Amino acid sequence: MIYPQTFERLYIGPAGPPADTPEDSRTLEAIDQCVKHGWDTMEVAFVYQVHIGEKEAEKVAAHSKKLSFPLSAHGSYYINLAAKEPKKIGASRSRIVQAAVRIAQAGGHSVVFHSAFLMGRDSSAVTALVIEQLKKVEEELKAKGTKVWLRPELTGKPTQHGDVEELIKVCNKVETALPCIDWAHLYARTGGQFNSYEEWCAVLDRLARGIKNKNVLERMHMHLSGIEFGPRGEKRHIPLSTCELRYKELMQALKQAGVAGTLIVEAPEVCQLEDVDRIRTAWAGA
Ligand SMILES: [Zn+2]
C-alpha cells in the first residue's frame, strides 16, 4: 500500500487557502485560487477541525485529480502520542485517523502531525511509544481501506519529538510513515544551524540512506517559511524577507538531490502570496 508511487517533480503551494481567496470559500475555490496564482499544491489545514464533509471530499478528489493538484492535510494541533494519560493517547490516534480518512477521500496523499512531546523522557523511550501508536493508527486505516502517508513532522522545538534521527527510526518501523521535513523547524530547533547548501545536502543524504526501501527523496513532503527562534527553538513564522534562512541555497540542495514531491510554504498571511512566489521562483532558478 504505497501511495502515490512517486511524484515526477516538485509541487509548491500554500498551507491553507491563498490569502486572497474570497471569504467563505470552500476547498474547491481555494484550489482554483491556487491555480490562478500558478501554484500546484496545497495543504489543507485540519488543525482545529476536519472542515471538509464526505460529499465535499468526493468533489475535491475529482477536481484535484483533473488538475493534477496534489493535496495534503495538516492534522490537529492537539496530538501527543506519548501522553501520560491513556485517554489522551487514544484521542490523539483518533484525530490522526479522522484527518487521514477525510484527506484520502479528498484524493490527498499525506496527513501531517506533530507526534509527541518528550516531557523530560529520553528520545528512544518516546520514539518507541510513537511507533507503537502509529502502528495502531496504520492498522485502523488499513481496516478502513484508507491509503495515505502518515507524516510525522520535523518539529520546531527540542522538547518535541521529531528530529531527523527520530523520524528515520519511526519511518523504518511504520510501513506507511514518511517524514514531513520542515526546513524552518530544523533551522529553529538547532539555534540557526542547517543554513547552508552543504548542511542541507547532508540531511538529504542521511534521509535517503537512513529510510530503507521507500524512495523517500521521490516522495518528499516538506514545509518551509521564515522563522524566528530563541533558546527553546521555534517562536513564530515570519516573512522570508526578514529571515536569514538561505532558501535559495536550500532549493539548490533539493534540486541537486533530485527531490520530488510537495513543498508547502507556511508563511504568515500578510506575506503569503509573496513568499509562495519567492520559493517557486527560487526553485525554478535553482
Ligand atoms: Zn506542523
Side-chain angles (χ1 to χ4, degrees), residues 1 137-147 175-176:
M1 86 165 232
V137 168
E138 184 174 77
E139 230 168 80
E140 208 176 317
L141 291 174
K142 277 186 179 176
K144 291 175 189 290
T146 298
K147 291 186 181 183
E175 189 193 355
T176 56

Side-chain angles (χ1 to χ4, degrees), residues 241-280:
S241 59
T242 63
C243 182
E244 286 173 19
L245 187 67
R246 298 191 189 126
Y247 62 91
K248 290 178 192 165
E249 282 181 42
L250 172 58
M251 293 303 113
Q252 288 164 1
L254 298 180
K255 209 163 246 185
Q256 193 278 334
V259 167
T262 40
L263 171 58
I264 299 300
V265 181
E266 287 188 313
E269 197 171 338
V270 286
C271 59
Q272 185 217 41
L273 300 178
E274 199 181 317
D275 279 1
V276 177
D277 282 338
R278 262 178 213 277
I279 301 286
R280 293 185 60 92

Side-chain angles (χ1 to χ4, degrees), residues 74 77 112 114 153 182 185 223 266:
H74 197 303
Y77 285 143
V112 175
H114 312 163
E153 181 171 336
D182 188 317
H185 281 168
H223 288 169
E266 287 188 313

Side-chain angles (χ1 to χ4, degrees), residues 8-9 13-14 22 42 64 80 85-86 154 160 170 174 183 185 188 198 205 225 239 243-244 262 278 281 283 286:
E8 74 288 1
R9 62 182 175 87
M42 183 174 82
S64 60
N80 184 1
E85 306 87 333
L154 203 174
Q160 290 174 294
V170 170
V174 182
W183 297 107
H185 281 168
E198 287 75 22
D205 187 59
S225 68
C243 182
E244 286 173 19
T262 40
R278 262 178 213 277
T281 303
W283 172 251

Side-chain angles (χ1 to χ4, degrees), residues 43-211:
E43 186 149 283
V44 175
F46 287 160
V47 295
Y48 300 112
Q49 58 171 20
V50 175
H51 59 70
I52 299 180
E54 236 174 283
K55 279 211 170 130
E56 188 185 355
E58 284 170 25
K59 288 183 195 162
V60 170
H63 199 56
S64 60
K65 191 176 176 194
K66 194 178 80 190
L67 296 167
S68 302
F69 189 98
L71 283 176
S72 51
H74 197 303
S76 170
Y77 285 143
Y78 305 104
I79 285 170
N80 184 1
L81 292 171
K84 292 189 175 161
E85 306 87 333
K87 234 186 176 176
K88 286 192 182 168
I89 298 179
S92 295
R93 275 203 318 267
S94 70
R95 287 184 186 122
I96 297 176
V97 168
Q98 277 176 29
V101 165
R102 196 49 51 82
I103 198 62
Q105 285 170 342
H109 57 86
S110 295
V111 61
V112 175
F113 49 89
H114 312 163
S115 303
F117 292 91
L118 297 179
M119 300 158 86
R121 295 162 295 182
D122 69 19
S123 164
S124 59
V126 176
T127 301
L129 295 172
V130 168
I131 290 168
E132 182 190 340
Q133 297 306 320
L134 283 183
K135 282 186 171 172
K136 289 188 185 176
V137 168
E138 184 174 77
E139 230 168 80
E140 208 176 317
L141 291 174
K142 277 186 179 176
K144 291 175 189 290
T146 298
K147 291 186 181 183
V148 69
W149 290 109
L150 298 172
R151 299 273 186 176
E153 181 171 336
L154 203 174
T155 49
K157 296 179 183 187
T159 50
Q160 290 174 294
H161 188 265
D163 68 12
V164 170
E165 293 306 320
E166 289 163 348
L167 294 178
I168 289 172
K169 284 183 192 137
V170 170
C171 293
N172 281 331
K173 292 284 185 189
V174 182
E175 189 193 355
T176 56
L178 277 177
C180 168
I181 300 297
D182 188 317
W183 297 107
H185 281 168
L186 179 61
Y187 175 67
R189 68 152 43 226
T190 57
Q193 293 178 59
F194 296 95
N195 197 21
S196 68
Y197 177 81
E198 287 75 22
E199 286 166 302
W200 287 314
C201 287
V203 174
L204 292 165
D205 187 59
R206 178 72 194 115
L207 290 171
R209 288 169 194 268
I211 299 176

